[in-house]
Amino acid sequence: MEIPSSEWIDFGNLAIGIGTFALAFVLGIIGIISARKGRKIHIADKRQEWVSTFRNYVSEVLTLQQQHSLIIKDCSIEELDALMKELNMASNKIRFMFDPSDNRRDKLEDLFAAISKDFADKNYENLAEKQYQIIQITDSIISKQRKKIVELDNSEPII
């Protein structure tokens, strides 16, 4: 029994339809996977921006604190006031990078407040120790974010 040519055309059309559907399905899955990876890369880029900004702000605070301790004896009230204003501004930039419920923010705020109190009392004995504590907290934060960047982990908010 021979199949007429019109039936071959019907089988051919059916095969083309099935192939087209299969191709669309595969391309759809590839698109979804690609979109998810693209989102992870986007979040990793945002995390990297956050880490860079955070590092710059912490460096600024530590530098201003160090500068304050070095020039306190030889500066005018106006210079000291301007320096304290800059230091408070830099500290606030860091403060607002965190969620208010984040306990690391509280630790940093406590250290900033303690250093400011020491400056008001002209006590510079523990400045290096408190700055080291700030660096330890900062390093743990940056380390955690770097790990998430490398692994393209977007399981939780940036901060």
Side-chain angles (χ1 to χ4, degrees):
M1 174 158 159
E2 198 174 305
I3 299 177
S5 64
S6 65
E7 289 183 21
W8 276 111
I9 293 173
D10 290 340
F11 286 132
N13 287 340
L14 181 61
I16 290 172
I18 291 172
T20 302
F21 178 75
L23 180 62
F25 183 75
V26 169
L27 290 176
I29 290 174
I30 290 171
I32 289 170
I33 292 169
S34 176
R36 285 184 182 167
K37 184 163 181 148
R39 172 129 173 88
K40 287 181 179 184
I41 290 171
H42 176 72
I43 290 173
D45 288 345
K46 293 298 180 187
R47 280 187 201 281
Q48 182 60 48
E49 280 179 35
W50 189 94
V51 165
S52 295
T53 302
F54 180 65
R55 184 181 295 123
N56 289 339
Y57 289 163
V58 170
S59 297
E60 185 179 349
V61 166
L62 295 176
T63 301
L64 289 168
Q65 289 171 347
Q66 212 53 12
Q67 185 177 358
H68 182 281
S69 69
L70 294 174
I71 68 166
I72 187 67
K73 296 174 185 166
D74 301 329
C75 70
S76 68
I77 299 286
E78 292 81 22
E79 290 173 324
L80 186 59
D81 194 38
L83 182 63
M84 287 306 291
K85 183 179 178 181
E86 257 187 277
L87 181 58
N88 287 333
M89 178 84 77
S91 299
N92 286 333
K93 288 177 184 175
I94 293 171
R95 180 177 296 123
F96 292 121
M97 292 186 79
F98 290 91
D99 185 78
S101 63
D102 194 331
N103 66 347
R104 297 170 300 186
R105 173 185 166 167
D106 296 338
K107 289 177 187 174
L108 288 171
E109 282 182 355
D110 291 345
L111 286 167
F112 293 153
I115 290 171
S116 292
K117 184 180 181 317
D118 287 349
F119 284 168
D121 296 341
K122 298 185 180 181
N123 175 12
Y124 302 101
E125 294 174 14
N126 298 324
L127 178 62
E129 179 185 323
K130 290 175 182 168
Q131 283 187 325
Y132 182 69
Q133 291 174 9
I134 291 170
I135 290 169
Q136 285 180 316
I137 294 169
T138 300
D139 285 348
S140 72
I141 293 167
I142 290 173
S143 174
K144 182 178 179 181
Q145 293 303 317
R146 283 250 181 240
K147 183 178 178 186
K148 288 183 169 290
I149 290 168
V150 169
E151 295 173 354
L152 294 178
D153 180 2
N154 62 352
S155 60
E156 58 186 47
I158 293 175
I159 277 293

